[in-house]
């Protein structure tokens, strides 16, 4: 039986209105560079696999797409430490030399830039790019940027053909914070409340889950908002290696609730020793082993995925530790998605997790 998401992707592939210029970002992508050990797939690294637009053939059979979101306007508004606008470039630099055992081809659409303080306009531009890329039926990775990137990603999903045709959206946020603030000005602390409000306006029940919530980082008001919205969450203290059965059950329940996944990775969900380069480092955090396991499990489930990576601040990083960790998670998401392709039309069906 053909799924709603498959039908939407195939219709878009045949639709002349799905023009590649719709995903053209504010700043064109630069060529990816890195170590080169020789020709052939046995020496493959990410910089060999990624072609920047417009050099990439937009009608080509690429397996995944990147778009960056250069913004820390939301972090500033949320009284955080600015610097996340440089996150997309740092993530690309960290990912480019990584070895790639799963052959794939990716398109880099460039960056949306919020340089004038108009966060809402930047999020709308990001949304248009995400919609155009997602409607091609391939995984989309958005490189942030502050966590305000999540609302821009959502706008792209909300306008996608799949969601308009009835696919069920699930949002999984790996984060120490709910990010459900009810502030006058949208910020990095408000994106998931904005999503919930938009979902309600569209007549859909918000389907928001959070893994890694830190009690000292969320007020009672935020917990009440989460309860009012029916948010499902797992605290950081329940996400240890000894609690993997709970983590797996949580992720399985999430996957059963949706056809289309928005995976939002706020790097401050990780312990400060692993991810020091964020505005709000975690004193406790969820271990990298658990976070990577969750990312791979989500990506390998065969559902179309939009994944954004948020809050990398290179100015605060130590030995590029946070950038490399974020890049590793992107690597796991995309290789697992390609290896586990089920609902991606035209791609080979390969079981198991990517390396």
């Amino acid at each position: 039986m053909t799924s709603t998401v498959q039908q939407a992707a195939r219709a878009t592939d045949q639709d002349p209105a799905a023009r590649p210029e719709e995903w053209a970002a504010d700043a064109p992508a630069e060529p990816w560079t890195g170590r080169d050990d020789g020709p052939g797939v046995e020496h493959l690294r990410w910089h060999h696999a990624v072609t920047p637009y417009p050099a990439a053939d937009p009608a080509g059979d690429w397996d995944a797409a990147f778009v960056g979101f250069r913004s820390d306007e939301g972090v500033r508004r949320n009284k955080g430490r600015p610097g996340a606008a440089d996150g997309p470039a740092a993530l690309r630099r960290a990912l480019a030399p990584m070895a790639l055992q799963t052959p794939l081809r990716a398109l880099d659409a460039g960056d949306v830039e919020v340089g004038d303080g108009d966060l809402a306009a930047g999020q709308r531009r990001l949304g248009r790019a995400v919609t155009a890329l997602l409607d091609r039926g391939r995984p989309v990775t958005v490189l942030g940027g502050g966590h305000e990137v999540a609302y821009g990603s959502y706008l792209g999903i909300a306008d996608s053909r799949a969601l308009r045709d009835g696919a069920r959206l699930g949002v999984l946020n790996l984060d120490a914070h709910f990010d459900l603030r009810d502030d006058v000005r949208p910020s990095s602390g408000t994106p998931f409340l904005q999503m919930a409000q938009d979902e309600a306006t569209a007549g859909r029940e918000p389907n928001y889950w959070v893994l890694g919530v830190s009690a000292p980082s969320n007020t009672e008001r935020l917990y009440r908002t989460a309860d009012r919205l029916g948010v499902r969450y797992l605290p950081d203290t329940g996400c240890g290696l000894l609690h993997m059965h709970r983590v797996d059950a949580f992720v399985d329940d999430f996957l059963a609730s949706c056809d289309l996944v928005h995976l939002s990775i706020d790097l401050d969900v990780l312990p400060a020793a692993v991810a020091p380069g964020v505005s709000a480092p975690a004193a406790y955090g969820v271990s990298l082993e658990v976070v990577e396991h969750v990312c791979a499990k989500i990506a390998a489930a065969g559902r179309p995925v939009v994944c954004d990576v948020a809050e990398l601040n290179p100015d605060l990083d130590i030995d590029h530790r946070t950038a490399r960790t974020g890049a590793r998670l992107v690597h796991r998401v995309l290789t697992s998605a390609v290896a586990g392709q089920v609902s991606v039309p035209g791609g080979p069906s390969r079981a198991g997790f990517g390396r």
Side-chain angles (χ1 to χ4, degrees), residues 11 27 75-76 162 185 224 237 239 271 299 311 318 324-326:
V75 176
R76 267 202 276 293
R185 297 182 78 198
R224 289 178 182 174
T237 51
C239 295
E311 294 293 333
I318 300 171
R324 288 171 176 160
T325 299

Side-chain angles (χ1 to χ4, degrees), residues 194-230:
Q194 293 174 267
M195 292 182 205
Q197 292 168 340
D198 286 5
E199 286 292 281
T201 299
R204 295 186 294 261
E205 193 73 25
N207 187 19
Y208 177 42
W209 303 55
V210 192
L211 186 147
V213 171
S214 170
S217 301
N218 295 273
T219 63
E220 179 63 21
R221 179 173 179 174
L222 290 170
Y223 275 99
R224 289 178 182 174
T225 301
D227 291 340
R228 175 173 57 82
L229 294 173

Side-chain angles (χ1 to χ4, degrees), residues 44-300:
L44 191 64
R45 296 177 185 272
W46 270 101
H47 68 88
H48 297 121
V50 178
T51 305
Y53 176 79
D57 178 5
D61 188 23
W62 35 271
D63 302 293
F66 295 94
V67 61
F69 189 62
R70 296 186 201 168
S71 171
D72 51 21
E73 176 62 25
V75 176
R76 267 202 276 293
R77 295 181 185 184
N78 200 30
K79 302 179 178 64
R81 298 183 289 176
D86 294 325
L91 285 167
R92 287 183 177 98
R93 285 194 300 270
L95 182 60
M98 287 188 176
L100 187 58
Q101 291 86 19
T102 303
L104 57 80
R105 288 178 292 178
L107 175 146
D108 185 352
D111 288 338
V112 171
E113 185 169 9
V114 180
D116 57 1
D118 193 343
L119 177 58
Q123 289 168 323
R124 288 193 297 271
R125 293 196 303 278
L126 175 61
R128 287 194 293 270
V130 169
T131 299
L133 294 166
L134 180 60
D135 279 352
R136 296 287 298 177
R138 304 296 187 270
V140 179
T141 299
V142 185
L143 307 174
H147 213 174
E148 62 266 28
V149 65
Y151 185 62
S153 299
Y154 164 78
L155 291 176
I157 299 168
D159 201 36
S160 69
R161 191 183 298 267
L163 207 62
R164 286 185 280 116
D165 286 351
R168 299 172 301 158
L169 172 63
V171 181
L172 176 60
N173 182 23
L174 309 184
D175 198 345
H177 310 91
F178 283 118
D179 286 345
L180 290 170
R181 292 183 179 277
D182 187 12
D183 294 339
V184 175
R185 297 182 78 198
S187 72
S188 62
T190 66
F192 299 98
L193 181 61
Q194 293 174 267
M195 292 182 205
Q197 292 168 340
D198 286 5
E199 286 292 281
T201 299
R204 295 186 294 261
E205 193 73 25
N207 187 19
Y208 177 42
W209 303 55
V210 192
L211 186 147
V213 171
S214 170
S217 301
N218 295 273
T219 63
E220 179 63 21
R221 179 173 179 174
L222 290 170
Y223 275 99
R224 289 178 182 174
T225 301
D227 291 340
R228 175 173 57 82
L229 294 173
V231 177
R232 299 279 297 273
Y233 58 89
L234 198 59
D236 54 3
T237 51
C239 295
L241 291 172
L242 295 178
H243 303 103
M244 283 302 296
H245 62 288
R246 294 180 60 188
V247 172
D248 280 334
F250 184 84
V251 174
D252 288 340
D253 288 347
F254 168 75
L255 288 169
S257 76
C258 61
D259 308 304
L260 176 63
V261 172
H262 178 184
L263 175 62
S264 193
I265 306 171
D266 186 328
L267 293 170
D268 71 21
V269 73
L270 294 155
V274 177
V278 294
S279 178
Y284 188 89
V286 180
S287 73
L288 179 58
E289 294 95 327
V290 173
V291 171
E292 183 173 316
H293 172 78
V294 170
C295 290
K297 186 178 178 75
I298 291 289

Side-chain angles (χ1 to χ4, degrees), residues 322-345:
T322 316
R324 288 171 176 160
T325 299
R328 180 184 173 98
L329 294 175
V330 170
H331 171 90
R332 287 291 281 165
V333 167
L334 291 178
T335 56
S336 297
V338 171
Q341 281 175 351
V342 174
S343 61
V344 178

